[in-house]
Amino acid sequence: MKFVLYNHVGSANHGCEALVRTIAGLTGYDNTKLLSDAPAEEKKYGIDKLIEVCPAITKDKKSTIEFLKAYYELKVKKNYFYMDILPYMQALKNINKDDVLVSIGGDIFCYENYPKYILIHQTALKYVNKSILLGCSIEPESLKDEKLVSDLKSFDMITAREHITYNALKSKGLKNVEYCPDSAFRLKCCATNLPKEFKEGKTIGLNLSELVLNKSENPELLMKNFEILIENIISKSEYNIAMVPHVVWKNNDDRVPLKKLYDKYKDTNRVCMIEDHNAEQLKWIISKCAAFIGARTHATIAAYSTGIPTLVLGYSIKSVGIARDLFGSEENYVLSYKNIKKETDLLNHYLWILEHADTIKETLVEKTKEYCEILDKMEEKLKEFK
């Protein structure tokens, strides 16, 4: 029996990489196999040296019964999800009946294409006896879809990484759900080189994503908020600034907006651009910051779990839920891009974080210790999973 991790799109999203590394630590490296949409990324970031990696996607044969069914669904019923899962069919068929399938895409049910993941799971259950959904966040509103609720009930175990999701799932009558923090709170740090402009303990880390900019009603105003923040840090403090990309996919690359900010202020010699690193190295870099502002969930978890005062530029239930569990409230700790109305909104939230930095650090150290103890217990539970 092996744990087979799936719903992993690739480690160039270093949040996904962090989940692979830490979930494999929970299930046991020698006892875990990863189905990856992007095996080349697993090789680039060293995942293939940690656990067995297999391609999740293969070219579909257009003469198969699965293809004909998918083609019918697309042309007659206008349902493209059957076509979407065709590339995954061969990998699913290769799973052993005694293996345990583990979905590690924590937020896959937060997006409009979640029916694809229902279909993958229900198809996989034809070939495997048991399945687990680890570290999920799900919008309570989504649970109005009875197909989603039915699929969730068919998992042998679900862990919710924050209590908004946990309570919503319990309210729908799910008996297979328990609370467990995001496994990335256990991610190790790995030292690496820092740019000369990065002053340890005297640098503010910034992370911005194309995803947030694309979803923002006013991306120009959001960028202006970052510019005003940077200008304030440079003119009114001794801090330097590090641009920290956490996802480097084509068409979804944090380096694109961060490079624009870096280019605008590089002549001050107070800003630096962090190159692409693996998740453990990025966590170490973030741990050397004085404070952190991030749009990517796992960039902020890297900061939280190393005691760094953090402002989350949140865009979903996961940001709100994680912050509420840590601090008792998301107010002041999470700034939604939808709520940015003035050019100084980001600056004002950042200044609040700095003002309360000592208390925030104490809370984060205490909570991370508590979370790691819960994750230790989950490790024991998973390794006994039959």
Side-chain angles (χ1 to χ4, degrees), residues 39-285:
E41 293 178 14
E42 314 318 324
K43 185 173 183 180
K44 180 177 180 179
Y45 298 109
I47 297 299
D48 63 328
K49 293 181 174 63
L50 196 68
I51 56 174
E52 180 185 356
V53 175
C54 299
I57 294 174
T58 55
K59 291 183 179 179
D60 18 306
K61 298 175 182 177
K62 295 188 177 181
S63 60
T64 62
I65 294 174
E66 288 92 351
F67 175 80
L68 295 174
K69 179 180 179 181
Y71 189 78
Y72 172 81
E73 289 286 337
L74 177 65
K75 291 299 182 181
V76 177
K77 298 185 179 180
K78 309 302 180 186
N79 181 349
Y80 61 86
F81 293 116
Y82 283 85
M83 278 292 186
D84 280 353
I85 74 160
L86 274 180
Y88 298 93
M89 291 299 297
Q90 191 58 52
L92 295 177
K93 290 178 181 179
N94 289 340
I95 301 171
N96 272 314
K97 198 73 175 174
D98 293 333
D99 288 340
V100 179
L101 199 63
V102 184
S103 176
I104 63 172
D107 56 1
I108 57 172
F109 296 116
C110 289
Y111 303 111
E112 291 180 357
N113 68 337
Y114 72 83
K116 166 186 172 180
Y117 298 102
I118 295 176
L119 200 52
I120 289 176
H121 181 227
Q122 291 304 311
T123 302
L125 289 179
K126 298 175 183 177
Y127 307 105
V128 69
N129 287 325
K130 293 191 176 182
S131 64
I132 299 172
L133 172 59
L134 281 186
C136 70
S137 289
I138 302 175
E139 295 279 354
E141 189 73 13
S142 300
L143 297 175
K144 291 180 179 178
D145 183 350
E146 290 303 322
K147 289 183 179 178
L148 173 56
V149 174
S150 177
D151 180 58
L152 293 171
K153 287 180 177 179
S154 67
F155 284 96
D156 291 273
M157 182 173 74
I158 297 174
T159 69
R161 62 179 160 186
E162 29 73 25
H163 278 88
I164 296 176
T165 294
Y166 174 78
N167 292 331
L169 292 174
K170 294 296 282 186
S171 72
K172 295 298 290 188
L174 271 76
K175 309 293 186 185
N176 56 344
V177 60
E178 56 188 276
Y179 166 71
C180 183
D182 194 296
S183 61
F185 274 88
R186 280 208 338 178
L187 183 69
K188 297 175 183 176
C189 289
C190 180
T192 187
N193 295 324
L194 293 169
K196 66 180 188 303
E197 297 89 357
F198 194 112
K199 298 190 295 184
E200 291 191 30
K202 289 290 184 180
T203 296
I204 306 299
L206 300 183
N207 166 258
L208 178 60
S209 71
E210 287 190 297
L211 179 63
V212 163
L213 284 170
N214 291 337
K215 287 191 172 187
S216 173
E217 294 175 4
N218 192 338
E220 292 80 14
L221 177 60
L222 180 53
M223 286 296 283
K224 186 65 176 178
N225 265 261
F226 272 88
E227 291 169 4
I228 287 176
L229 170 68
I230 291 169
E231 289 163 10
N232 180 277
I233 292 170
I234 290 172
S235 64
K236 296 187 178 181
S237 78
E238 296 181 353
Y239 292 122
N240 281 5
I241 298 158
M243 312 296 176
V244 186
H246 214 256
V247 175
V248 291
W249 281 327
K250 186 179 180 181
N251 301 322
N252 189 4
D253 192 334
D254 296 354
R255 293 173 296 189
V256 174
L258 290 173
K259 184 71 162 51
K260 289 178 182 177
L261 292 170
Y262 170 75
D263 286 343
K264 184 164 186 173
Y265 298 102
K266 63 183 178 181
D267 291 340
T268 65
N269 296 316
R270 298 276 298 281
V271 300
C272 62
M273 187 78 188
I274 300 298
E275 299 299 324
D276 187 28
H277 291 76
N278 70 33
E280 292 180 335
Q281 292 168 326
L282 287 170
K283 182 169 181 174
W284 182 83
I285 292 167

Side-chain angles (χ1 to χ4, degrees), residues 290-331:
F292 191 75
I293 299 171
R296 297 289 185 180
T297 299
H298 283 94
T300 61
I301 287 177
Y304 282 154
S305 58
T306 50
I308 305 302
T310 300
L311 173 62
V312 177
L313 195 61
Y315 58 89
S316 75
I317 195 70
K318 55 188 175 180
S319 301
V320 173
I322 292 169
R324 193 179 293 181
D325 281 355
L326 285 168
F327 305 108
S329 170
E330 67 274 19
E331 187 177 357

